[in-house]
Amino acid sequence: MENGTVLLVDDEQGLLDLLAFTLRKFGIPNLLTATTAHEALEIIARHDVSLIVLDVMLPDGDGFDVCRRIRMITEAPVLFLTAKNQDIHKITGFELGADDYITKPFNPTEVAARVQVHLRRMAKLQTLSKAVYDFGHFKLNKQSGQLFVQGREVSCAPMEFLLLAFFCEHPNFIFTVSELYAKVWRPYQEGDEKTVVIHISRIRKKIEPDPGRPQFLVNMKGLGYKLVKKARNVQ
């Protein structure tokens, strides 16, 4: 997985060339490039892409819309590359399933380092222990990287899976947002603690019978979050 194929999407050919050169120096040789949203989606449909670096502003579409469509095809990590640095844009990206956010101007070696870390994280996901966590209503299989809700497989983005796996490993323990960020995010990437809350919301939509009234992944007011081992009255 560390040598997986990386897709670079940006309408500036010079920037693509610079990123490709830097990534190869970091030992990431398998690269594909696209300068439009249409070209990017065609490549993703045809190739087994391990990670996508995606510019938000493309000549034929919005990167956020492209990310939404990517998530219908693959759960490969998406790293947004954009000049937009407002919190609302970051939140929008994370809600759509992005895994990281890099603002322009940037150091290409930083982008390469983040790509390398995400590829290593994906490789670790594939070599996790054989533990299966069964909470009745949902089941998480660490070895296969699968989440099942009421017996039906539900797609799960990499950071969602790692966060839920962490909760499953520590049922009924309370963790603050900063602790969750340090334990789950910090080993793999830099980011914002707000992304923890966003990912918890996304997980709830997948595992809770009623996400508005969570029974499994609950908030302990003033303390943090915990995953309840035995939820009551699950339909």
Side-chain angles (χ1 to χ4, degrees):
M1 178 60 73
E2 288 189 43
N3 292 320
T5 299
V6 174
L7 172 61
L8 306 174
V9 187
D10 197 288
D11 61 345
E12 298 181 40
Q13 187 61 50
L15 187 147
L16 288 177
D17 293 341
L18 177 60
L19 284 177
F21 174 78
T22 307
L23 285 168
R24 290 190 178 100
K25 285 184 63 177
F26 269 66
I28 305 170
N30 302 321
L31 303 173
L32 296 170
T33 62
T35 56
T36 67
H38 177 74
E39 186 180 1
L41 291 169
E42 280 197 336
I43 290 174
I44 293 168
R46 295 198 311 264
H47 298 271
D48 184 13
V49 176
S50 300
L51 182 144
I52 301 144
V53 178
L54 176 63
D55 188 17
V56 168
M57 302 300 293
L58 295 170
D60 61 338
D62 184 285
F64 294 134
D65 182 59
V66 175
C67 182
R68 187 182 296 107
R69 295 167 68 182
I70 285 173
R71 280 290 166 256
M72 298 172 66
I73 304 170
T74 177
E75 292 295 343
V78 174
L79 281 65
F80 269 127
L81 194 62
T82 177
K84 297 181 177 181
N85 60 4
Q86 294 95 330
D87 282 347
I88 185 62
H89 293 132
K90 293 183 180 181
I91 292 171
T92 299
F94 287 127
E95 286 182 338
L96 291 173
D99 297 88
D100 208 345
Y101 206 103
I102 304 167
T103 56
K104 299 176 181 179
F106 58 83
N107 186 327
T109 59
E110 178 190 355
V111 178
R114 292 200 191 188
V115 167
Q116 195 172 57
V117 166
H118 279 281
L119 290 175
R120 287 175 178 169
R121 186 201 70 205
M122 294 299 293
K124 182 177 180 180
L125 273 175
Q126 293 185 344
T127 58
L128 286 171
S129 69
K130 297 182 179 181
V132 175
Y133 298 96
D134 191 346
F135 283 72
H137 184 69
F138 74 90
K139 181 187 296 184
L140 183 138
N141 187 319
K142 287 182 63 177
Q143 183 185 31
S144 64
Q146 292 174 292
L147 170 65
F148 297 90
V149 180
Q150 290 189 308
R152 181 176 62 87
E153 185 174 358
V154 175
S155 64
C156 202
M159 292 310 298
E160 294 172 10
F161 188 88
L162 287 174
L163 178 58
L164 182 55
F166 179 80
F167 274 118
C168 289
E169 291 166 351
H170 306 87
N172 298 321
F173 280 82
I174 300 172
F175 296 95
T176 65
V177 170
S178 60
E179 287 174 334
L180 292 169
Y181 173 75
K183 295 288 187 180
V184 181
W185 266 261
R186 193 166 291 161
Y188 305 111
Q189 67 185 65
E190 294 298 323
D192 193 315
E193 289 183 5
K194 289 191 290 293
T195 66
V196 177
V197 179
I198 292 170
H199 280 70
I200 286 174
S201 175
R202 285 160 54 179
I203 291 172
R204 281 173 168 169
K205 291 177 182 177
K206 296 179 179 182
I207 70 170
E208 297 286 355
D210 180 359
R213 301 176 62 186
Q215 302 176 44
F216 291 100
L217 193 46
V218 300
N219 176 264
M220 308 300 292
K221 192 171 183 180
L223 298 175
Y225 294 89
K226 74 173 180 178
L227 184 66
V228 178
K229 180 62 177 178
K230 292 184 179 180
R232 297 179 179 177
N233 302 322
V234 176
Q235 299 298 320

